[in-house]
């Protein structure tokens, strides 16, 4: 593999969730936009899209770090370290026999990949825990009416942690299902049914995305919390979609 630039830490392949999922490869790293240097993309043999080339250093470093994670994950999974291109919808384009997801937030980036024969889709999302004040301000945009009731105690006690957890889980759900269905959906179109201290969760669709993914479909998820970050994962096995 090409050596890492100064703006990126060593690669980490540790699995942070309690439940192992065979066949998935996770790679993460820390990055520092202040350490990005001219020529880093060239030296890493990664060609950013025009929008990233025009962006500020923070966005460029996020993109570089995420693609480095994705390339290493694909190298370990398939033996071919390719860099996913960016589609017209700004989503990564994975090799035909693979599914994957990339995420980054505040100096951390990660990518996860799996073989399409085992997984129909994966969604990975990393978020910095928002402040309690920001959570109270954004709750109405992120929570459904039932979620307001369901998580009332948690929102009263630790609103920042509770809302960031729900936000991240819904982001992972979108990342997992959008490549499968081709349908965009938003916070009000899914609800978190429960979260457990062990890092397990379930979500339910409130909007039909396709015949295989109707309103009412329930999807399992995992999340972990560390150093003021929440990392959530949804991995959808290949085969029939979950029944209602």
């Amino acid at each position: 593999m090409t050596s890492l630039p100064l703006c990126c830490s060593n690669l980490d392949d540790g699995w942070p969730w309690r439940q192992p999922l065979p066949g998935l490869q996770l790679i993460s790293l820390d990055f520092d936009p202040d350490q990005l240097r001219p020529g880093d993309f060239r030296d890493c043999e990664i060609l950013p899209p025009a929008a990233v080339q025009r962006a500020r250093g923070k966005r460029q470093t996020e993109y570089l770090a995420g693609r480095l994670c994705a390339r290493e994950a694909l190298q370990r999974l398939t033996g071919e370290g390719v860099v996913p291109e960016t589609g017209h919808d700004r989503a990564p384009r994975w090799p035909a026999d693979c599914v994957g997801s990339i995420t980054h937030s505040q100096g951390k980036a990660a990518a996860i990949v799996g073989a399409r024969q085992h997984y129909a889709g994966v969604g990975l999302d990393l978020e910095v825990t928002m402040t309690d004040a920001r959570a109270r301000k954004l709750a109405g945009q992120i929570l459904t009416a039932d979620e307001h009731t369901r998580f009332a105690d948690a929102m009263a006690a630790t609103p920042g942690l509770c809302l960031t957890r729900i936000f991240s889980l819904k982001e992972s759900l979108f990342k997992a299902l959008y490549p499968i269905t081709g349908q965009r959906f938003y916070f009000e179109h899914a609800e978190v049914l429960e979260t457990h201290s062990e890092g397990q969760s379930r979500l339910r669709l409130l909007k039909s995305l396709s015949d295989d993914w109707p309103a009412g479909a329930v999807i399992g998820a995992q999340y972990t919390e560390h150093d003021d970050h929440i990392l959530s994962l949804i991995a959808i096995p290949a085969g029939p979609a979950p029944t209602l």
Side-chain angles (χ1 to χ4, degrees):
M1 168 181 174
T2 305
S3 61
L4 293 171
L6 291 176
C7 61
C8 294
S9 71
N10 291 331
L11 299 167
D12 185 353
D13 62 359
W15 184 263
W17 303 282
R18 286 202 175 188
Q19 179 184 351
L21 294 176
L24 290 178
Q25 178 65 62
L26 175 73
I27 297 291
S28 63
L29 59 74
D30 296 338
F31 64 86
D32 181 0
D34 292 336
Q35 296 296 318
L36 181 69
R37 296 291 181 264
D40 278 348
F41 279 95
R42 180 197 64 232
D43 295 343
C44 292
E45 300 179 357
I46 293 176
L47 179 63
V52 173
Q53 294 180 37
R54 296 190 299 266
R56 295 183 177 182
K58 177 178 179 293
R59 174 66 186 120
Q60 291 184 347
T61 315
E62 290 173 345
Y63 185 92
L64 179 63
R67 260 42 186 197
L68 286 169
C69 290
R71 179 166 64 189
E72 180 66 14
L74 286 168
Q75 176 68 43
R76 298 194 188 191
L77 181 73
T78 69
E80 297 184 14
V82 299
V83 178
E85 297 181 355
T86 302
H88 68 277
D89 56 1
R90 298 171 55 188
R93 289 182 174 176
W94 301 95
D97 57 350
C98 295
V99 296
S101 185
I102 300 173
T103 188
H104 45 72
S105 181
Q106 296 295 317
K108 295 182 181 295
I112 194 164
V113 296
R116 193 175 293 276
Q117 64 175 320
H118 301 306
Y119 293 95
V122 291
L124 182 71
D125 185 70
L126 176 67
E127 300 292 338
V128 175
T129 304
M130 65 183 76
T131 65
D132 288 345
R134 180 168 175 77
R136 295 187 186 99
K137 183 178 180 179
L138 295 178
Q141 301 175 37
I142 296 171
L143 299 179
T144 66
D146 285 344
E147 286 172 328
H148 275 287
T149 300
R150 188 174 298 134
F151 299 104
D153 290 345
M155 284 297 296
T158 55
L161 180 61
C162 177
L163 195 68
T164 307
R165 188 184 292 159
I166 292 171
F167 180 97
S168 184
L169 287 165
K170 290 187 179 185
E171 285 288 309
S172 285
L173 182 65
F174 177 83
K175 290 182 176 182
L177 289 182
Y178 173 68
I180 298 173
T181 66
Q183 298 295 316
R184 292 191 175 275
F185 59 98
Y186 303 94
F187 293 117
E188 66 268 26
H189 298 142
E191 63 177 342
V192 176
L193 297 175
E194 58 193 3
T195 58
H196 298 290
S197 59
E198 297 83 4
Q200 301 295 317
S201 180
R202 292 188 306 137
L203 297 89
R204 178 164 55 205
L205 283 177
L206 301 176
K207 173 184 177 180
S208 292
L209 303 178
S210 68
D211 290 343
D212 289 334
W213 292 96
V218 175
I219 303 99
Q222 297 190 75
Y223 64 91
T224 185
E225 299 159 4
H226 182 67
D227 290 341
D228 294 325
H229 284 75
I230 293 176
L231 183 65
S232 62
L233 171 66
I234 289 178
I236 299 174
T243 57
L244 303 185

